[in-house]
Amino acid sequence: MQNVRVLLIEDEDRIREMIKDYLENEGYIVEEAENGSVGLEKFKVASYTIILLDVMLPGIDGWTVCREVRNSSDVPIIMLTARGEEYDKLFGFELGADDYLTKPFSPKELVARMKAVLKRGKGSQNSNEKSIFEYKSLWINMDSRKVTIDGETVDMTPKEFDLLSFFVNNPDKVFTREHLLNKVWGYEFGGDYRTVDTHVKMLRESLKRYRSIIVTVWGVGYKFEIGG
Ligand code: CA
C-alpha cells in the first residue's frame, strides 16, 4: 500500500504501538493520537486516507470524533471496540463509520479490513464517476436516467431511480434506512423508515431478475452488491 496515510486514534499505548509497528512494516504512513481531541486536531491540519478510531477514549469518545469528522469529510473510518463492549453497529453506521473491529484482533485482519474499505471507497470518491453502469444485461445510464434490461426500457419512478443510482455509486456499503432517507430523500430527521422499505420493494420489482443486487442486511439496512 503506497502513500496510505493512517490516523490512528487509540488511548492504549500497547495496542497503538502494536498497530503502528505492524502498519509501518507494511508500508503505511501512520500518525498517532492518544485521545479524541488530539486526533481531531491532527485530522484538521492534515489529510488522511483512513482513520482507525477507538470507541472508548478519555475525554471525547470515538462516537463524537466520528461525528465531527463526518461533518467535513468522507474519509473511511474503522471503529475499534473492546471485547465485552456491546458495539452498536446501527449507531456506528448512522454516524458514518465504514466498518468496525473487535479487540483483540490480529493486525493482519486489520490490514485486510482496511484494504476492503479503501477499495470500495474508491468508487464513490472518484471524481470521474462513470455515467454508464453495466452488469450482465442490466444497463443504467446515470445522465439520461434510463434503465434497460435485455435492451428493454424499465419504467421506474424518479425516487426509485435516485435510490438505484445512490446504490450503484456506493457499492458493497451498508446503509441504514435513516442514512438512505437522508441521502436520497434529503430528510434530516423525522422521515418514515417505511418509505425506504417501500421503495426498495418497488425497485426490486422493477429490477426483475436483478432484484438480488439490493441486499437486505438484517437489523441494519441495505446494500448494493453484485457478483458475490
Ligand atoms: Ca480505549
Side-chain angles (χ1 to χ4, degrees):
M1 282 266 158
Q2 293 283 303
N3 299 318
V4 173
R5 291 176 53 85
V6 181
L7 177 58
L8 170 60
I9 309 175
E10 164 67 75
D11 61 314
E12 280 166 80
D13 298 342
R14 192 179 53 81
I15 295 178
R16 199 177 61 242
E17 265 141 42
M18 183 271 285
I19 295 175
K20 181 179 156 68
D21 287 350
Y22 189 89
L23 291 181
E24 285 183 345
N25 261 323
E26 294 280 303
Y28 294 86
I29 301 153
V30 182
E31 187 68 47
E32 296 170 88
E34 69 279 10
N35 64 49
S37 36
V38 170
L40 280 173
E41 272 163 34
K42 293 199 169 177
F43 164 75
K44 279 167 192 160
V45 296
S47 87
Y48 296 94
T49 322
I50 188 164
I51 298 179
L52 306 178
L53 176 57
D54 185 27
V55 175
M56 295 299 285
L57 291 165
I60 308 171
D61 69 13
W63 301 125
T64 310
V65 174
C66 182
R67 188 184 289 126
E68 285 281 309
V69 168
R70 276 291 169 269
N71 280 336
S72 64
S73 165
D74 284 329
V75 62
I77 300 175
I78 298 179
M79 305 295 292
L80 309 176
T81 174
R83 185 165 57 178
E85 272 168 31
E86 197 52 52
Y87 178 82
D88 191 336
K89 258 191 273 189
L90 185 63
F91 188 55
F93 288 130
E94 274 174 3
L95 288 181
D98 295 271
D99 204 350
Y100 71 101
L101 264 173
T102 307
K103 296 174 204 168
F105 49 79
S106 71
K108 205 175 159 186
E109 188 185 359
L110 173 65
V111 168
R113 296 287 191 95
M114 286 169 66
K115 283 182 178 165
V117 164
L118 290 172
K119 197 173 154 199
R120 72 189 182 214
K122 271 183 197 145
S124 53
Q125 279 162 14
N126 207 332
S127 55
N128 47 4
E129 257 171 24
K130 272 201 271 177
S131 62
I132 305 284
F133 171 85
E134 261 184 296
Y135 172 63
K136 295 180 182 170
S137 69
L138 172 65
W139 186 89
I140 303 166
N141 186 322
M142 301 295 176
D143 296 331
S144 64
R145 299 172 63 89
K146 196 176 156 158
V147 181
T148 64
I149 293 176
D150 301 326
E152 299 263 48
T153 300
V154 178
D155 287 319
M156 52 176 70
T157 66
K159 265 303 168 235
E160 273 182 88
F161 186 86
D162 291 343
L163 186 61
L164 177 62
S165 81
F166 178 78
F167 276 127
V168 169
N169 285 319
N170 297 279
D172 301 318
K173 204 167 166 179
V174 183
F175 294 101
T176 62
R177 290 167 177 81
E178 188 181 80
H179 196 118
L180 291 168
L181 271 178
N182 190 307
K183 291 285 179 188
V184 179
W185 278 263
Y187 297 158
E188 281 304 317
F189 57 89
D192 187 343
Y193 293 174
R194 281 171 302 185
T195 305
V196 176
D197 295 331
T198 306
H199 280 81
V200 166
K201 191 166 174 254
M202 286 161 58
L203 179 57
R204 282 177 174 153
E205 277 164 18
S206 300
L207 291 171
K208 299 180 188 111
R209 69 172 184 276
Y210 295 108
R211 54 170 38 247
S212 60
I213 61 176
I214 311 294
V215 179
T216 302
V217 179
W218 202 83
V220 184
Y222 299 102
K223 70 171 171 176
F224 172 74
E225 187 180 76
I226 51 168

